[in-house]
Amino acid sequence: MSNITSSTGKLQVIRVPNTAVGYHFVITKDGTTYQTRKLSEEGAHVIGMNNKSIGVSFAGNFDLTLPTEAQMQAWYKLYTDIQTRYPGIPTYPHRKYANKTCHGRLLKDDYFAVQYQIFSLTARLNQLKAQLTNLLTGRRFK
């Protein structure tokens, strides 16, 4: 396991070398994040985009259920790290490039991008609340 320091704290990624998994990352229902390919390796997750994308797979059937809270928290940390390395990299569902329902009928195409923005805004709001509390109580803050 390796820890990557990101703006969201420690991102724990379990590296799984020499696998046949086509995605670069897999996020399980409990939020465990496995890196199954190096970012420098070409993926095998969507025809025509493998050499210019980072594949992230979520355990679950999102035709039937929503991602777990733990998965979304792991996604926020992972995507923050990916954004740090590749600023502006978008997130698209599998179905944009293939005749599939991925990432699931229950999720709109921009589901993960919108959820990321919600997590980001919530984190910023919490920072501002802490700063305001410190100002009101006379404590210093960073």
Side-chain angles (χ1 to χ4, degrees), residues 4-5 9 13 15 18-19 23 30 36 58 61 63 70-71 74 76-77 95 101 113 116 120 122 132 138:
I4 301 169
T5 302
V13 176
R15 299 195 194 283
N18 305 319
T19 67
Y23 296 90
D30 70 0
T36 54
F58 290 76
N61 180 346
D63 287 338
Q71 284 177 307
Y76 175 69
K77 290 178 181 179
R95 64 178 168 241
T101 64
Y116 179 78
S120 296
T122 300
L132 181 58

Side-chain angles (χ1 to χ4, degrees), residues 20-124:
V21 176
Y23 296 90
H24 294 89
F25 297 95
V26 176
I27 300 176
T28 63
K29 289 184 178 189
D30 70 0
T32 303
T33 303
Y34 294 93
Q35 183 171 5
T36 54
R37 286 179 184 257
K38 294 178 182 177
L39 290 177
S40 59
E41 280 183 80
E42 183 174 325
H45 48 88
V46 61
I47 294 172
M49 294 299 292
N50 290 322
N51 64 342
K52 52 189 161 203
S53 63
I54 298 171
V56 180
S57 177
F58 290 76
N61 180 346
F62 304 127
D63 287 338
L64 304 174
T65 63
L66 295 175
T68 66
E69 181 67 22
Q71 284 177 307
M72 295 313 301
Q73 289 176 4
W75 164 246
Y76 175 69
K77 290 178 181 179
L78 176 61
Y79 195 56
T80 297
D81 182 65
I82 291 170
Q83 284 286 330
T84 300
R85 295 169 192 237
Y86 307 99
I89 190 170
T91 175
Y92 296 117
H94 205 171
R95 64 178 168 241
K96 178 174 173 140
Y97 303 102
N99 188 21
K100 299 177 183 274
T101 64
C102 302
H103 37 240
R105 288 187 180 99
L106 294 181
L107 308 180
K108 293 183 178 183
D109 285 0
D110 63 353
Y111 180 83
F112 288 102
V114 168
Q115 293 301 312
Y116 179 78
Q117 290 301 319
I118 290 169
F119 271 86
S120 296
L121 291 171
T122 300
R124 182 65 182 134

